[in-house]
Amino acid sequence: MNQVARRLGKTFALVLPVVLVLSGTLAVTRVPWAVSSSEAQVLTASAKKDAATPQEALRQKLLAELQQKDPGVALTDLQVAMAKQPSLARYCASIARSLGRAAVAKYDGATQRAQAWSRPVCDTAFATGVSSVG
């Protein structure tokens, strides 16, 4: 009988912590404030949709600046941004072309007036953007 009690005690000593850990884990996952994995995936996906890429954020900032001020200011800021963030250099030509097209739109299709702001930022991408509209 003494051996049976000892064996039973050892079994409880090994099984009880496992049961307590598992029941505690299950209890935590069932509290109302716990987010299920499907809800977390939805939240993550919507956060990714709303967050603009760095190059798109820069493009939008510069396009707004072009509208508020002039293309020269936007091109200068593009050049500064490229110096500060070299990782965006591969998007420079695309952004400069967008600025060129926006400059033509700002001056109601006057490509010569828009072209007057051209400078060698990202080679000739701004000029290419201006000429692609007309």
Side-chain angles (χ1 to χ4, degrees):
M1 180 82 169
N2 198 9
Q3 286 182 337
V4 175
R6 200 176 262 182
R7 195 182 229 172
L8 191 59
K10 284 183 179 180
T11 305
F12 276 128
L14 291 173
V15 174
L16 189 60
V18 173
V19 170
L20 290 174
V21 168
L22 287 176
S23 64
T25 304
L26 294 175
V28 170
T29 60
R30 293 186 183 190
V31 293
W33 47 264
V35 178
S36 71
S37 63
S38 62
E39 288 173 358
Q41 288 174 351
V42 170
L43 291 173
T44 305
S46 66
K48 286 181 184 176
K49 269 187 209 174
D50 294 339
T53 60
Q55 66 270 15
E56 281 307 309
L58 177 63
R59 182 188 318 269
Q60 295 306 316
K61 175 187 169 262
L62 295 173
L63 287 170
E65 194 169 59
L66 183 141
Q67 293 302 319
Q68 293 170 357
K69 298 175 184 173
D70 61 62
V73 174
L75 285 171
T76 299
D77 285 350
L78 175 60
Q79 193 169 11
V80 169
M82 291 302 117
K84 283 184 179 178
Q85 292 179 295
S87 62
L88 295 177
R90 65 179 168 191
Y91 305 105
C92 187
S94 171
I95 294 170
R97 278 192 300 274
S98 297
L99 292 173
R101 288 189 294 271
V104 172
K106 178 177 180 163
Y107 298 121
D108 297 322
T111 55
Q112 287 180 340
R113 187 168 178 201
Q115 190 67 39
W117 296 101
S118 187
R119 46 178 88 153
V121 178
C122 308
D123 296 326
T124 58
F126 179 81
T128 303
V130 170
S131 64
S132 70
V133 176

